[in-house]
Structures are given as C-alpha cells and as structure tokens.
Amino acid sequence: MHIADWVMANSLQQRCRKIGIRLTGQRRAVVRALGDSCDHPNVAELHQRALVYDPQVSIATVYRTVKLLEEVGLIDKHDFGDGISRYEDAEREHHDHLIDIKSGQVIEFFDPEIEELQIRIARRLGFELQGHRMELYGVRTDSKI
C-alpha cells in the first residue's frame, strides 16, 4: 500500500464513514479541520478552521461533532489546566504532553525511558498496562527550545 493510500484509508473522515457516522457538509468541514490539525485546537479554533471548508458551519455543529467523535473514541479530549477543552485525533502516534503554565504552550514528546518505567511500575503492582496519558506542567527556565 502506498503512503498516500494509507493516509486516506486512515483519515478521520474515512474512520467516521467506517463506523457509520453520517457526514453532512458542515460535519465534514469540522472533521476535516480536526484531521488537518497538528496541535490541540479548542472548539472556537476548530470553528474558525472549519469555516475555511464551509462558511456555513455553526459553532453548535462544532460542539455536537466533537462530542460525537469523542463518544465514539475517534478523538481525545484534553484539559491542560486552563479549563478549556482541546481535541486531537485519537489515532495519532502515542506522545505525552508538557504544558507551560505561563504561556499555555503544549509540547508533545516521547521518551522511551518513561514508557519503560511506566510498564515496570504497572507490572510491579500486578497490572498489564493497557494505555496511559501523561501531562507534565511547568514553567520555562531557559529559552533553548
């Protein structure tokens, strides 16, 4: 399978269709905006992005669509301590989050040592780890990143 075929077959739109979610024009615009996102947009940001694809998209449609997609497990909802719900595709490659509590910047990272440590801790406590979510909160102490 070519990479372009894989991407299309695994797109958020295709996964919606596969599980039987009807994609109206407005809903398709919201799903496309979500699928194109590499960050963690909130509903207002998604609304602005969806308007590019369909100028008739209402904010209510965005709210209903993200709720539906979250309920069926296609997107993950995050609250990074500011009380604002943010969303990302649930099938993105695993990563953890470091949140700068002053600026709100969210840095995605993956650390194999942390992943192994979590597995070891779960085993030590008699569990087989099925998944996890890690969010670290801090303030930047230098500007090297």
Side-chain angles (χ1 to χ4, degrees):
M1 180 181 284
H2 296 296
I3 189 72
D5 295 330
W6 183 88
V7 169
M8 189 59 183
N10 290 292
S11 75
L12 189 54
Q13 287 185 56
Q14 292 291 40
R15 287 181 277 134
C16 284
R17 288 187 189 106
K18 184 176 180 180
I19 64 172
I21 294 176
R22 190 166 90 68
L23 293 178
T24 62
Q26 288 189 23
R27 206 181 256 180
R28 186 177 304 106
V30 175
V31 168
R32 188 169 175 191
L34 268 164
D36 291 347
S37 296
C38 294
D39 57 353
H40 307 86
N42 61 39
V43 168
E45 292 165 336
L46 277 173
H47 182 237
Q48 289 303 306
R49 295 173 190 185
L51 288 171
V52 171
Y53 302 115
D54 183 343
Q56 302 302 311
V57 174
S58 71
I59 191 80
T61 296
V62 178
Y63 275 106
R64 287 190 302 268
T65 303
V66 296
K67 182 176 186 208
L68 171 64
L69 297 177
E70 181 189 4
E71 286 173 354
V72 298
L74 291 178
I75 62 172
D76 290 328
K77 178 179 173 180
H78 297 282
D79 179 350
F80 295 130
D82 59 3
I84 298 172
S85 296
R86 301 176 188 284
Y87 302 90
E88 70 179 334
D89 190 326
E91 289 197 11
R92 285 180 62 188
E93 195 167 312
H94 173 74
H95 59 273
D96 296 311
H97 299 103
L98 172 61
I99 298 95
D100 183 327
I101 58 175
K102 284 188 178 177
S103 70
Q105 179 186 17
V106 178
I107 299 167
E108 295 180 349
F109 69 94
F110 177 83
D111 186 305
E113 291 179 61
I114 291 173
E115 300 302 315
E116 181 56 36
L117 178 61
Q118 292 173 118
I119 292 168
R120 285 197 330 258
I121 290 169
R123 284 184 186 151
R124 185 171 57 228
L125 296 173
F127 286 82
E128 179 181 331
L129 194 60
Q130 299 295 307
H132 76 276
R133 181 183 291 191
M134 179 183 286
E135 296 171 359
L136 305 173
Y137 297 86
V139 292
R140 188 176 298 281
T141 59
D142 62 37
S143 58
K144 293 183 180 179
I145 296 178

mmCIF file of all heavy atoms in Angstrom, residues 93-97 107-116 118 132:
data_model
loop_
_atom_site.group_PDB
_atom_site.id
_atom_site.type_symbol
_atom_site.label_atom_id
_atom_site.label_comp_id
_atom_site.label_asym_id
_atom_site.label_seq_id
_atom_site.Cartn_x
_atom_site.Cartn_y
_atom_site.Cartn_z
ATOM 1 N N GLU A 93 0.084 9.071 16.714
ATOM 2 C CA GLU A 93 1.109 8.279 17.374
ATOM 3 C C GLU A 93 1.215 8.697 18.837
ATOM 4 O O GLU A 93 1.106 9.877 19.164
ATOM 5 C CB GLU A 93 2.443 8.502 16.655
ATOM 6 C CG GLU A 93 3.487 7.482 17.009
ATOM 7 C CD GLU A 93 4.662 7.532 16.064
ATOM 8 O OE1 GLU A 93 4.453 7.553 14.843
ATOM 9 O OE2 GLU A 93 5.794 7.556 16.569
ATOM 10 N N HIS A 94 1.458 7.712 19.716
ATOM 11 C CA HIS A 94 1.494 7.996 21.151
ATOM 12 C C HIS A 94 2.525 9.073 21.486
ATOM 13 O O HIS A 94 3.625 9.085 20.952
ATOM 14 C CB HIS A 94 1.818 6.728 21.953
ATOM 15 C CG HIS A 94 2.025 7.034 23.396
ATOM 16 N ND1 HIS A 94 0.975 7.336 24.235
ATOM 17 C CD2 HIS A 94 3.153 7.166 24.138
ATOM 18 C CE1 HIS A 94 1.461 7.608 25.433
ATOM 19 N NE2 HIS A 94 2.764 7.510 25.405
ATOM 20 N N HIS A 95 2.126 9.954 22.384
ATOM 21 C CA HIS A 95 3.015 11.007 22.874
ATOM 22 C C HIS A 95 2.482 11.497 24.214
ATOM 23 O O HIS A 95 1.346 11.234 24.585
ATOM 24 C CB HIS A 95 3.121 12.167 21.875
ATOM 25 C CG HIS A 95 1.794 12.799 21.576
ATOM 26 N ND1 HIS A 95 0.957 12.323 20.596
ATOM 27 C CD2 HIS A 95 1.146 13.840 22.146
ATOM 28 C CE1 HIS A 95 -0.145 13.064 20.569
ATOM 29 N NE2 HIS A 95 -0.066 13.995 21.498
ATOM 30 N N ASP A 96 3.337 12.168 24.942
ATOM 31 C CA ASP A 96 2.949 12.786 26.201
ATOM 32 C C ASP A 96 2.996 14.299 26.018
ATOM 33 O O ASP A 96 3.400 14.789 24.964
ATOM 34 C CB ASP A 96 3.892 12.325 27.321
ATOM 35 C CG ASP A 96 3.781 10.821 27.560
ATOM 36 O OD1 ASP A 96 2.652 10.319 27.690
ATOM 37 O OD2 ASP A 96 4.817 10.150 27.613
ATOM 38 N N HIS A 97 2.555 15.028 27.017
ATOM 39 C CA HIS A 97 2.457 16.482 26.908
ATOM 40 C C HIS A 97 3.193 17.181 28.049
ATOM 41 O O HIS A 97 3.085 16.765 29.199
ATOM 42 C CB HIS A 97 0.985 16.916 26.938
ATOM 43 C CG HIS A 97 0.179 16.360 25.822
ATOM 44 N ND1 HIS A 97 -0.693 15.309 25.990
ATOM 45 C CD2 HIS A 97 0.119 16.690 24.513
ATOM 46 C CE1 HIS A 97 -1.263 15.028 24.830
ATOM 47 N NE2 HIS A 97 -0.793 15.848 23.918
ATOM 48 N N ILE A 107 3.864 21.156 24.526
ATOM 49 C CA ILE A 107 4.959 20.489 23.825
ATOM 50 C C ILE A 107 4.689 18.994 23.881
ATOM 51 O O ILE A 107 4.517 18.423 24.958
ATOM 52 C CB ILE A 107 6.317 20.808 24.483
ATOM 53 C CG1 ILE A 107 6.576 22.318 24.432
ATOM 54 C CG2 ILE A 107 7.447 20.026 23.808
ATOM 55 C CD1 ILE A 107 7.723 22.766 25.306
ATOM 56 N N GLU A 108 4.628 18.368 22.721
ATOM 57 C CA GLU A 108 4.460 16.926 22.656
ATOM 58 C C GLU A 108 5.837 16.280 22.696
ATOM 59 O O GLU A 108 6.773 16.774 22.070
ATOM 60 C CB GLU A 108 3.744 16.523 21.379
ATOM 61 C CG GLU A 108 2.325 17.037 21.324
ATOM 62 C CD GLU A 108 1.603 16.651 20.052
ATOM 63 O OE1 GLU A 108 2.248 16.160 19.100
ATOM 64 O OE2 GLU A 108 0.375 16.837 20.004
ATOM 65 N N PHE A 109 5.948 15.171 23.433
ATOM 66 C CA PHE A 109 7.227 14.471 23.479
ATOM 67 C C PHE A 109 6.996 12.983 23.672
ATOM 68 O O PHE A 109 5.924 12.544 24.097
ATOM 69 C CB PHE A 109 8.117 15.022 24.605
ATOM 70 C CG PHE A 109 7.634 14.699 25.991
ATOM 71 C CD1 PHE A 109 8.111 13.582 26.669
ATOM 72 C CD2 PHE A 109 6.694 15.508 26.620
ATOM 73 C CE1 PHE A 109 7.665 13.278 27.952
ATOM 74 C CE2 PHE A 109 6.241 15.203 27.906
ATOM 75 C CZ PHE A 109 6.729 14.091 28.570
ATOM 76 N N PHE A 110 8.015 12.209 23.352
ATOM 77 C CA PHE A 110 8.017 10.772 23.575
ATOM 78 C C PHE A 110 9.362 10.411 24.163
ATOM 79 O O PHE A 110 10.397 10.835 23.650
ATOM 80 C CB PHE A 110 7.813 10.019 22.253
ATOM 81 C CG PHE A 110 7.872 8.525 22.430
ATOM 82 C CD1 PHE A 110 6.767 7.823 22.855
ATOM 83 C CD2 PHE A 110 9.049 7.842 22.189
ATOM 84 C CE1 PHE A 110 6.824 6.446 23.027
ATOM 85 C CE2 PHE A 110 9.117 6.466 22.359
ATOM 86 C CZ PHE A 110 8.007 5.768 22.780
ATOM 87 N N ASP A 111 9.362 9.671 25.262
ATOM 88 C CA ASP A 111 10.607 9.278 25.902
ATOM 89 C C ASP A 111 10.544 7.782 26.209
ATOM 90 O O ASP A 111 9.749 7.356 27.053
ATOM 91 C CB ASP A 111 10.813 10.067 27.196
ATOM 92 C CG ASP A 111 12.160 9.804 27.819
ATOM 93 O OD1 ASP A 111 12.488 8.632 28.073
ATOM 94 O OD2 ASP A 111 12.895 10.772 28.062
ATOM 95 N N PRO A 112 11.372 6.975 25.538
ATOM 96 C CA PRO A 112 11.333 5.525 25.747
ATOM 97 C C PRO A 112 11.610 5.114 27.197
ATOM 98 O O PRO A 112 11.040 4.128 27.679
ATOM 99 C CB PRO A 112 12.425 4.976 24.830
ATOM 100 C CG PRO A 112 12.844 6.086 23.952
ATOM 101 C CD PRO A 112 12.343 7.362 24.536
ATOM 102 N N GLU A 113 12.439 5.861 27.904
ATOM 103 C CA GLU A 113 12.722 5.531 29.305
ATOM 104 C C GLU A 113 11.471 5.689 30.174
ATOM 105 O O GLU A 113 11.207 4.859 31.044
ATOM 106 C CB GLU A 113 13.844 6.418 29.846
ATOM 107 C CG GLU A 113 15.198 6.123 29.243
ATOM 108 C CD GLU A 113 16.268 7.056 29.789
ATOM 109 O OE1 GLU A 113 16.489 7.022 31.026
ATOM 110 O OE2 GLU A 113 16.849 7.813 28.999
ATOM 111 N N ILE A 114 10.724 6.750 29.937
ATOM 112 C CA ILE A 114 9.487 6.957 30.695
ATOM 113 C C ILE A 114 8.480 5.860 30.365
ATOM 114 O O ILE A 114 7.809 5.322 31.259
ATOM 115 C CB ILE A 114 8.890 8.354 30.413
ATOM 116 C CG1 ILE A 114 9.783 9.437 31.013
ATOM 117 C CG2 ILE A 114 7.461 8.460 30.948
ATOM 118 C CD1 ILE A 114 9.372 10.843 30.658
ATOM 119 N N GLU A 115 8.378 5.511 29.096
ATOM 120 C CA GLU A 115 7.440 4.460 28.692
ATOM 121 C C GLU A 115 7.789 3.143 29.383
ATOM 122 O O GLU A 115 6.906 2.462 29.912
ATOM 123 C CB GLU A 115 7.457 4.287 27.168
ATOM 124 C CG GLU A 115 7.063 5.533 26.391
ATOM 125 C CD GLU A 115 5.687 6.058 26.738
ATOM 126 O OE1 GLU A 115 4.731 5.253 26.827
ATOM 127 O OE2 GLU A 115 5.539 7.277 26.924
ATOM 128 N N GLU A 116 9.063 2.770 29.397
ATOM 129 C CA GLU A 116 9.505 1.534 30.044
ATOM 130 C C GLU A 116 9.262 1.587 31.552
ATOM 131 O O GLU A 116 8.823 0.606 32.155
ATOM 132 C CB GLU A 116 10.978 1.263 29.743
ATOM 133 C CG GLU A 116 11.511 -0.007 30.366
ATOM 134 C CD GLU A 116 10.742 -1.271 30.000
ATOM 135 O OE1 GLU A 116 10.283 -1.379 28.847
ATOM 136 O OE2 GLU A 116 10.586 -2.139 30.878
ATOM 137 N N GLN A 118 6.952 3.190 33.176
ATOM 138 C CA GLN A 118 5.520 3.031 33.445
ATOM 139 C C GLN A 118 5.102 1.563 33.339
ATOM 140 O O GLN A 118 4.319 1.073 34.151
ATOM 141 C CB GLN A 118 4.702 3.890 32.471
ATOM 142 C CG GLN A 118 4.895 5.365 32.740
ATOM 143 C CD GLN A 118 4.253 6.239 31.696
ATOM 144 O OE1 GLN A 118 3.369 7.003 32.015
ATOM 145 N NE2 GLN A 118 4.690 6.135 30.455
ATOM 146 N N HIS A 132 -1.973 4.847 28.739
ATOM 147 C CA HIS A 132 -1.759 5.891 29.738
ATOM 148 C C HIS A 132 -1.798 7.254 29.067
ATOM 149 O O HIS A 132 -1.714 7.370 27.843
ATOM 150 C CB HIS A 132 -0.426 5.708 30.466
ATOM 151 C CG HIS A 132 0.749 6.130 29.650
ATOM 152 N ND1 HIS A 132 1.341 5.318 28.732
ATOM 153 C CD2 HIS A 132 1.421 7.307 29.603
ATOM 154 C CE1 HIS A 132 2.335 5.957 28.148
ATOM 155 N NE2 HIS A 132 2.402 7.177 28.653
#
